[in-house]
Every structure is written in structure tokens, then in C-alpha cells.
Amino acid sequence: MSKTSPLTPPDMLCFSLYAAMHAMQAAYRPLLEPLGLTYPQYLVMSALWGQDGISVGQIGQALHLDSNTLTPLIKRLQDAGLITRARSTADERQVLVTLTDAGRAMAQRATDIPACVLRASDLTPMQADILRDRLITLQKSLRASAKGPAPKPR
């Protein structure tokens, strides 16, 4: 894996993932600007387009974001008129997030965005699916190992 030293960024897996994330966000930016969304806001809206009327906690769990990060995103989406927030009548500790008519209509305008990014990636749909599945496996492995004792450096 390492050509020179495992501590130089170009040789580090974590750096490659970090750089790919930035490139992905840059690819989304011009597609999201007409919608008035940032990439993190798009992720929140995508979660709601998949299942409307879910709690802030459920959104956070789906996106691996804590409430300190999520709350300002949700507030800005509410200020933009795309969602509403309301306390759950079943459990007042939970805040439910629901799409407005404008938020639901935006889903139609965003439908082609994933395909545009896929075309820009030069990956086939099958390659993209394989890469996504491998990244999910990596996430799960790293999250599981983070819960256990830290490995000792050699």
C-alpha cells in the first residue's frame, strides 16, 4: 500500500476518503445551488424524501450526525419553508420533522442529481454500487472497532 511512508497523506486511506468526500461535495454544489441547498441540507432533505415525518433523532441516526450539527441545518431548512418541526404528541421529547408542500415539490426538481453525479464520476452504475457497498462495510467495521479498545500502534 505505501510507496514511501504510511504517514504521508497521498499514501493514507483516510486521506483518499477525505479528498473523495470533498470532490463529491464539489460535484454536487452546482447541482444544488439552483435548489438553494448545501450538501448537508440535501442529505437531510433526501432522508425526508425517503420517509417524511420522522424525528430529528432518526434523521441524525440515518446520516450519522449528532443533534448539534443537525439542529442548525434543520432550522435553516425550516426558515426556507421546506420543512416544519413540531413536538411529538406521543413523546414530547421528540421533535418530528415534516416536509412542507415546497419541500415535497423540491424532490421532483432533485430527481436527476444522483445520475448527474454518477455520470461525472466515470463509474458505471454497477461500479458505483460495489464502491458504495464496500464503503458501507468499511464504515460498519470502523464504527464497531471504535466501540472496542483502541488498537495499539506498532
Side-chain angles (χ1 to χ4, degrees):
M1 180 168 147
S2 174
K3 297 174 190 108
T4 56
S5 165
L7 298 179
T8 59
D11 294 328
M12 298 168 75
L13 174 61
C14 61
F15 179 76
S16 293
L17 291 168
Y18 174 80
M21 180 204 52
H22 281 285
M24 183 67 73
Q25 288 182 358
Y28 271 91
R29 189 172 298 117
L31 301 169
L32 296 175
E33 282 177 357
L35 301 177
L37 295 176
T38 64
Y39 182 73
Q41 290 170 337
Y42 171 71
L43 293 177
V44 171
M45 292 300 290
S46 294
L48 290 166
W49 292 329
Q51 184 179 356
D52 195 8
I54 57 177
S55 72
V56 172
Q58 289 171 298
I59 296 169
Q61 188 174 23
L63 300 179
H64 303 289
L65 294 174
D66 60 30
S67 63
N68 293 341
T69 303
L70 198 51
T71 299
L73 290 172
I74 290 173
K75 174 120 177 56
R76 283 193 290 278
L77 291 170
Q78 183 176 15
D79 291 346
L82 299 173
I83 61 166
T84 59
R85 296 182 294 168
R87 294 251 172 231
S88 169
T89 55
D91 182 351
E92 289 193 11
R93 295 172 296 178
Q94 289 190 343
V95 174
L96 299 179
V97 182
T98 306
L99 292 165
T100 62
D101 290 342
R104 277 187 283 284
M106 184 180 277
Q108 195 62 32
R109 294 174 51 206
T111 300
D112 293 333
I113 290 175
C116 290
V117 173
L118 179 63
R119 279 192 300 275
S121 76
D122 262 349
L123 294 172
T124 66
M126 181 183 284
Q127 290 169 326
D129 287 346
I130 290 167
L131 177 58
R132 183 205 56 233
D133 292 346
R134 288 186 175 166
L135 289 171
I136 289 169
T137 299
L138 176 62
Q139 288 173 45
K140 288 178 181 178
S141 297
L142 293 174
R143 287 184 196 284
S145 71
K147 292 178 183 174
K152 293 183 176 142
R154 294 182 196 184

